[in-house]
Amino acid sequence: MKSNRRVFLGQLGLGLAAIEATGQTIKPSNITSEETFWDNVRKGFPLTDNRVYLNNGTFGPSPSTVLDAIKTSLDKTNTSGEYGHTDKYRKVLAEFVGVSEEEISLTHNTTEGINIVCWGLDLKEDDEVIISLHEHVGNALPWLNRAKLHGIKLKTFEPAATADETLERIKNLVSSKTKVITVPHISCTLGQVYPVKEIADFARPKGIFTAIDGAHGTGTFDINYKELGCDSYATSCHKWMLGPNGSGFLYLKKEHLDRIQAIQVGAYSDNGWDLYSTPPSFPAYNPTAHRYDYGSQSTPLYAGAAASAEYHMALGKNKVEKRVRELSQYLYAGLEELNGYLDILTPKEPESRICMVTFKPKNLEYREFSKKASKAGFRIRVVPESKLDAIRISTHIYNSKTQLDDFLKFTKEALTT
């Protein structure tokens, strides 16, 4: 897909002459500064300029290259009358996260991937699942529902201020009945990064399954699922990957395919079936993770999802992660200067944060702050979850330090007048 990546570079608004392309990464060689480089990247997004978008954690607006891929596929499928196939897009997504395409199931969102794992695991009454108190509804409700229907036991913990302490809290909950540890890679509440690799390394020799809610991890980190070592990782393309809503995928380690029972099946889930035999037979599932995605998929949506992966690889996944961290740190430092007017809830430890900062205003009810922010042209998110009653700011590569300066100025004025 390298030719696609060169097309993407040409559409960034930077001009190929100004870019030194090396493999999958690019450098701003003839550009005067990093900020100018990212300003030019921003021109590739059709976002309007009448407000500052600081809620990527809910939805990541797509760059024009992704929208073009979707539109091209829509035109092609509707002019040819062929709805196409998604295999080539699955291959790109697998490359993006460092796994084989046999380990990737195409889903509509993170929650669907979580449900495949939650209901596919062989869990019995009184089996224990360790889960945090800072879950998105998409990871909380499937496990709560399984507990309600099948009698499994959920053991909860409050994440600590550091990764080491959080890991210790998880370890202290483990018993001989523990079968699963399920946590977010990055929490939707505090934007807290969980030590997923260390959790997986601890769980593996004990035979404990690690099921990661990766809604906020893919497209944020320079990620490689194999290196993380977790058993499953469910993600969406419409957040940090900047892909289309309604697309996502589930990674499942190859050795666990027969451990996760396919519950909902259809076309492409099987390795042959026969209603004419006596008795009717269904001898085997698809030998890959493709057994979990069934029926027709939206070729245009997955064309867009693959394009978003290509976009990240063209820019350089490491470069994207560096910029995401830089913007979040810039915001964090600015909010620290306002500590008399607000409490920052996101951990201070650098390893425990990357892309989102959550804070609680001291002298203004959080929903009132949100209303003022909206009126001032800032798109943010309130966090009523986990009894926080706070404000979450999430930034991505289309944001600028100037925008963050404007938000910090607004915040100071809103909390002091």
Side-chain angles (χ1 to χ4, degrees), residues 182-318:
T182 180
V183 294
H185 196 171
I186 305 171
S187 72
C188 70
T189 53
L190 301 178
Q192 180 165 357
V193 178
Y194 284 64
V196 168
K197 187 178 188 307
E198 290 75 12
I199 292 169
D201 289 345
F202 164 74
R204 194 177 307 110
K206 301 181 185 311
I208 299 172
F209 193 95
T210 46
I212 306 303
D213 170 359
H216 297 287
T218 312
T220 306
F221 294 104
D222 179 1
I223 204 164
N224 182 300
Y225 292 171
K226 287 289 188 188
E227 292 176 1
L228 280 178
C230 55
D231 296 312
S232 70
Y233 194 104
T235 198
S236 298
C237 302
H238 73 272
K239 293 183 186 288
W240 301 91
M241 280 182 65
L242 307 171
N245 204 356
S247 62
F249 55 96
L250 168 69
Y251 159 68
L252 184 65
K253 270 187 180 178
K254 201 176 294 185
E255 55 263 39
H256 293 310
L257 285 172
D258 291 330
R259 185 176 178 183
I260 306 298
Q261 175 63 49
I263 304 296
Q264 295 181 308
V265 295
Y268 313 116
S269 302
D270 65 293
N271 200 24
W273 55 281
D274 186 3
L275 285 173
Y276 289 90
S277 64
T278 305
S281 66
F282 174 17
Y285 296 98
N286 186 317
T288 74
H290 308 185
R291 69 180 68 178
Y292 306 108
D293 51 87
Y294 51 88
S296 302
Q297 299 280 357
S298 170
T299 302
L301 284 185
Y302 284 102
S308 70
E310 291 281 3
Y311 179 81
H312 281 259
M313 290 188 283
L315 277 174
K317 289 163 62 179
N318 59 338

Side-chain angles (χ1 to χ4, degrees), residues 42 47-53 374 376-380 403:
R42 169 64 177 83
L47 274 169
T48 61
D49 293 323
N50 61 352
R51 68 174 181 171
V52 178
Y53 193 80
S374 180
F378 298 99
R379 177 76 170 92
I380 64 175
Q403 289 178 332

